[in-house]
Amino acid sequence: MSSLRVYAIDGIVPVVDPTAYVHPSAVLIGDVIVGPGCYVGPCASLRGDFGRLILEAGANLQDTCVMHGFPGTDTVVEENGHIGHGAVLHGCRIGKNALVGMNAVIMDNAVIGEASIVAASAFVKASEVIPPGVLVAGMPAKVIRPLSEQEMAWKAEGTRTYQDLTRRCLATLVETAPLTAVEADRKRIEIPDVVPLTTLKQRQG
């Protein structure tokens, strides 16, 4: 943990469960609580210098995401929450097993219901309450429709992939120097079960 960019403020020190993975380029300040099995990606910013920030068990906060909130508030990603690249969470609550898409913004006092999906680049207004199990999209975000069973299964599988990534990072990710040339037999990372939702829909007609 000594290599992490973790800062106390006003005597309050971030908390990171030993089974979580926080990339060394992420920044954790003050009142931050990262729970068991969580993943925090490169260049994520968790600024607990005003309000409390909580990642519950199995949640992931991907690269360049921002979490922040006003004094006296909690910004929470509940169990198995999934926060895509570049999303901004400010003083909001993301429900259990919900997904926030890439570059989406969730504002103060908004609540994303359990197992709902916020589309990429959506803007969820302050104090908006999104019901469980729906897709929301747009600026401002509106409920589009209920999620299909296939979409909910895809989301759950995607979150399990990030929980696997947490374990892979803890076990094998190391800082290293780059090679100067590509090897002739360069291998690929093989994760055959991880496919985009669009591909799944094409396969299933």
Side-chain angles (χ1 to χ4, degrees):
M1 289 296 177
S2 60
S3 64
L4 297 180
R5 297 164 72 182
V6 176
Y7 304 90
I9 190 168
D10 296 337
I12 299 174
V13 179
V15 177
V16 178
D17 187 276
T19 63
Y21 175 78
V22 177
H23 191 274
S25 67
V27 178
L28 280 59
I29 299 171
D31 198 358
V32 177
I33 302 169
V34 178
C38 289
Y39 173 87
V40 177
C43 300
S45 175
L46 293 85
R47 275 186 51 212
D49 46 14
F50 291 167
R52 177 168 294 174
L53 313 180
I54 302 170
L55 296 179
E56 294 186 355
N60 67 76
L61 187 81
Q62 297 171 22
D63 29 323
T64 74
C65 287
V66 174
M67 286 183 76
H68 195 240
F70 287 111
T73 66
D74 290 356
T75 304
V76 181
V77 180
E78 294 183 8
E79 184 178 354
N80 294 332
H82 188 112
I83 313 301
H85 318 289
V88 176
L89 309 181
H90 203 280
C92 57
R93 177 173 288 267
I94 310 303
K96 181 178 179 180
N97 203 38
L99 181 150
V100 174
M102 294 180 278
N103 290 315
V105 176
I106 317 295
M107 293 299 292
D108 299 277
N109 301 314
V111 177
I112 307 302
E114 180 174 344
S116 282
I117 292 179
V118 178
S121 297
F123 178 81
V124 179
K125 296 186 298 185
S127 301
E128 190 81 9
V129 177
I130 304 300
V134 298
L135 171 67
V136 298
M139 301 179 68
K142 302 291 184 187
V143 174
I144 305 300
R145 57 174 171 78
L147 291 169
S148 67
E149 290 186 9
Q150 179 193 53
E151 288 166 328
M152 288 192 278
W154 171 82
K155 186 275 164 196
E157 183 59 34
T159 300
R160 284 191 291 271
T161 298
Y162 267 86
Q163 291 164 351
D164 289 342
L165 178 60
T166 296
R167 292 184 284 270
R168 288 170 58 208
C169 288
L170 288 170
T172 71
L173 192 145
V174 294
E175 188 171 0
T176 187
L179 301 174
T180 58
V182 179
E183 314 97 300
D185 58 347
R186 185 175 179 84
K187 68 178 186 178
R188 291 182 178 271
I189 293 175
E190 299 288 346
I191 311 177
D193 295 334
V194 179
V195 295
L197 182 58
T198 52
T199 303
L200 282 179
K201 287 181 174 178
Q202 288 171 353
R203 287 178 183 174
Q204 299 176 8

